[in-house]
Amino acid sequence: MRVDAIPLGLKPFEQLGRHFALQLLERGAAKVYATARTPGLVDLPGVEVLRLDITDPASVVAAAAAAQDVTLLVNNAGSNTYANLVTGDLDAIRTEMDTHFYGTLDMIRAFAPVLAAGGGGAILNVLSAMSWFSYDYSNAYGAAKAAEWSLTNAVRLELHGQGTQVTGLHLGSADTDMMAHYDGEKSDPADIVRAALDGVEAGRLEVLADEWSAGIKASLAGDPSEFYTLPQAG
């Protein structure tokens, strides 16, 4: 099996990225590119390391030029500034959109020709259960993830003609650096990645990696008042 991948993370090789790289190697990938803003912090043997900041268009172009044999692109970069939309810092809000929407879009635009040249390949976008709901003090993150979900559905249509499969991965809380502050139940990142890669190999367009994301998506069929309990004004 030949699978070339780029696991991404704004934090140096955070847990999901590490598991993507490790499991792809275990599944027999011929080459795995691991990227980070600080390449020296990538310490997993067997990967080819590239510098990448997806919020820097020039960095994205350079990564695509260096990785012309990619057949699977994993968009896993993430940030959470814990900003709200009405009173939050606008720079923080823009960071969320630059990372989750524009950065992901830049990656797809840069690598789409590479994937086409290799026969089509696949793209896996790491999304979130928060693509579908809002939570106070994470509303900028939720809005950016909702935009990335829409982006995922849109580019799937646009890239169908070149034979590129586009899969969206949704998860709730996983035991990663980004969720270190959260005291509730967390999924094992290894299980999340295993479900994601199984889904890509099976040709699935969407992977709901845990009960949380499955339940949140199911709630969209109901009235918002059934999901959100708003405090009484005054």
Side-chain angles (χ1 to χ4, degrees):
M1 178 179 67
R2 178 181 177 83
V3 180
D4 302 322
I6 298 190
L8 306 174
L10 285 184
K11 291 186 177 181
F13 216 43
E14 56 86 37
Q15 290 94 329
L16 282 178
R18 177 179 293 277
H19 282 288
F20 272 118
L22 180 61
Q23 291 190 30
L24 283 165
L25 290 171
E26 291 173 346
R27 290 171 184 240
K31 184 189 298 182
V32 174
Y33 293 97
T35 70
R37 283 177 167 174
T38 307
L41 296 179
V42 178
D43 59 356
L44 184 64
V47 301
E48 186 162 330
V49 183
L50 295 176
R51 182 191 177 279
L52 176 63
D53 176 357
I54 72 163
T55 65
D56 176 1
S59 180
V60 172
V61 170
Q68 288 288 301
D69 51 354
V70 163
T71 58
L72 169 64
L73 173 66
V74 180
N75 285 311
N76 178 50
S79 66
N80 193 343
T81 62
Y82 303 100
N84 271 347
L85 295 174
V86 176
T87 59
D89 181 77
L90 279 174
D91 286 340
I93 296 168
R94 290 188 177 99
T95 292
E96 301 287 8
M97 294 301 297
D98 285 344
T99 302
H100 299 288
F101 183 81
Y102 289 110
T104 300
L105 179 58
D106 279 347
M107 288 294 294
I108 292 171
R109 287 167 65 101
F111 278 91
V114 176
L115 295 171
I123 296 170
L124 174 67
N125 287 343
V126 179
L127 304 172
S128 170
M130 286 193 67
S131 304
W132 300 315
F133 77 99
S134 297
Y135 187 81
D136 206 14
Y137 297 108
S138 286
N139 284 330
Y141 175 84
K145 280 300 186 184
E148 190 181 5
W149 175 46
S150 181
L151 176 156
T152 300
N153 292 330
V155 299
R156 180 182 300 124
L157 298 178
E158 294 181 25
L159 297 179
H160 176 73
Q162 70 174 40
T164 299
Q165 172 187 321
V166 180
T167 300
L169 167 66
H170 293 269
L171 63 145
S173 175
D175 191 11
T176 65
D177 288 342
M178 188 179 293
M179 295 300 296
H181 67 286
Y182 180 67
D183 294 328
E185 184 177 349
K186 302 177 188 179
S187 299
D188 186 335
D191 293 338
I192 298 295
V193 169
R194 188 173 301 110
L197 294 180
D198 286 348
V200 171
E201 289 195 5
R204 294 175 58 187
L205 303 185
E206 186 170 79
V207 175
L208 306 179
D210 50 30
E211 293 183 5
W212 190 354
S213 54
I216 295 297
K217 186 177 184 185
S219 76
L220 296 177
D223 189 275
S225 64
E226 298 173 6
F227 184 86
Y228 295 103
T229 301
L230 300 177
Q232 294 295 320

